[in-house]
């Protein structure tokens, strides 16, 4: 089964510092990986995706993610965190044989302090 | 474009009542899906549709029905509400293209409480 895991429930970082939100995956075949962000009382917003090609994927709001096949990871990164980045972040993987459905991780709450 | 819209935003039901959560999109997306979000569990797929007239079950379909009579609409029906269905429900849509599919767009959610 296609699945992702987010090992951290919460990540705390000071504004201006680099941030990393971790995600590991378990898939058979080629993984199609996504990052979404959820602000309080809002729906999910797409940040970036990895389908194929370059291992470093750039997305919205200055975020990027590095696909690492040997470590089966797809960590989300940003060089300099903003207070407004505080939100709930979800890693997801496309599910085989379910249209374009996604399996989501449990989410990581990011808190950026001034 | 309004994107993906969901109604109602909030709903309180009593056990055993039925209701329909509405979802509509104006982007001519082929693919639509319903998820529920519970604390500490991420989002779980309930049902999905790859086009009008075609639906299938996801990870947690029990207690829910769907139909897709038009491209735009994908309602979710709770047949007999149970407290275990207390959750936040999200509808999503996307084009069906490419191996990885296209970006999914999510609605604002419906917060449902079953007493």
């Amino acid at each position: 089964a296609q699945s992702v895991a987010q090992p951290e429930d919460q990540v705390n970082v000071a504004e201006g510092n680099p941030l990393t939100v971790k995600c590991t995956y378990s898939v058979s075949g080629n993984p199609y990986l996504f990052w979404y962000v959820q602000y309080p009382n809002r729906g999910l917003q797409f940040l970036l995706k990895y389908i194929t090609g370059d291992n470093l994927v750039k997305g919205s709001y200055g975020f990027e993610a590095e696909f690492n096949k040997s470590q089966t990871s797809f960590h989300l990164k940003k060089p300099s965190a903003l207070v407004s980045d505080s939100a709930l972040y979800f890693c997801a993987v496309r599910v085989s044989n379910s249209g374009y459905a996604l399996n989501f991780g449990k989410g990581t709450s990011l808190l950026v302090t001034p | 474009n309004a994107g993906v819209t969901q109604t109602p935003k909030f709903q309180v039901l009593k056990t055993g009542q039925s209701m329909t959560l509405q979802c509509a999109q104006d982007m001519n997306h082929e693919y639509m899906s319903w998820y529920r979000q519970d604390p500490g569990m991420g989002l779980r797929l309930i049902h999905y549709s790859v086009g009008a007239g075609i639906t299938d079950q996801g990870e947690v379909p029990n207690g829910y029905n769907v139909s897709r009579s038009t491209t735009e609409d994908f309602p979710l029906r709770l047949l007999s509400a149970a407290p275990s269905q207390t959750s936040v429900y999200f509808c999503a849509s996307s084009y069906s293209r490419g191996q990885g599919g296209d970006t999914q767009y999510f609605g604002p959610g419906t917060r449902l409480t079953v007493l």
Side-chain angles (χ1 to χ4, degrees):
Chain A
Q2 321 288 73
S3 65
V4 292
Q6 295 180 242
E8 302 157 317
D9 291 335
Q10 182 161 327
V11 170
N12 298 320
V13 64
E15 187 174 30
N17 284 358
L19 70 87
T20 298
V21 182
K22 296 180 180 178
C23 174
T24 58
Y25 65 88
S26 174
V27 304
S28 54
N30 295 323
Y32 303 123
L33 298 162
F34 302 79
W35 276 102
Y36 282 82
V37 60
Q38 185 181 30
Y39 297 101
N41 300 313
R42 303 282 296 276
L44 277 70
Q45 296 179 28
F46 170 80
L47 281 178
L48 50 82
K49 65 182 177 182
Y50 173 81
I51 304 300
T52 186
D54 291 341
N55 290 340
L56 185 63
V57 180
K58 294 189 181 298
S60 306
Y61 313 122
F63 284 93
E64 59 187 28
E66 185 173 9
F67 173 72
N68 188 317
K69 189 173 183 178
S70 63
Q71 297 186 3
T72 63
S73 67
F74 189 56
H75 299 333
L76 182 70
K77 300 181 179 182
K78 188 174 183 181
S80 179
L82 300 173
V83 172
S84 57
D85 292 330
S86 298
L88 189 57
Y89 290 81
F90 289 98
C91 182
V93 63
R94 184 194 161 192
V95 180
S96 300
N97 303 318
S98 293
Y100 293 89
L102 299 174
N103 264 348
F104 285 86
K106 294 183 178 182
T108 298
S109 179
L110 173 67
L111 179 62
V112 182
T113 52
Chain B
N1 286 350
V4 180
T5 59
Q6 292 183 238
T7 56
K9 291 186 178 180
F10 302 94
Q11 183 70 50
V12 178
L13 293 178
K14 295 180 179 179
T15 296
Q17 287 184 316
S18 62
M19 78 159 294
T20 299
L21 279 63
Q22 301 291 345
C23 174
Q25 53 90 10
D26 60 357
M27 296 173 281
N28 202 30
H29 286 166
E30 301 94 344
Y31 179 80
M32 297 185 74
S33 55
W34 277 101
Y35 295 87
R36 59 177 288 174
Q37 183 180 24
D38 301 295
M41 300 188 70
L43 279 78
R44 292 180 292 168
L45 181 67
I46 304 171
H47 285 285
Y48 67 94
S49 169
V50 297
I54 306 170
T55 65
D56 207 343
Q57 297 180 352
E59 179 185 358
V60 289
N62 292 341
Y64 307 95
N65 271 359
V66 292
S67 60
R68 184 99 179 267
S69 56
T70 67
T71 299
E72 294 78 16
D73 301 299
F74 191 44
L76 178 72
R77 298 182 187 83
L78 279 69
L79 308 174
S80 177
S84 60
Q85 294 178 304
T86 294
S87 188
V88 182
Y89 291 84
F90 289 101
C91 179
S93 73
S94 75
Y95 291 112
S96 298
R97 57 190 178 193
Q99 286 184 306
D102 212 329
T103 301
Q104 292 202 28
Y105 293 85
F106 283 79
T110 294
R111 187 174 294 274
L112 175 67
T113 300
V114 183
L115 303 176

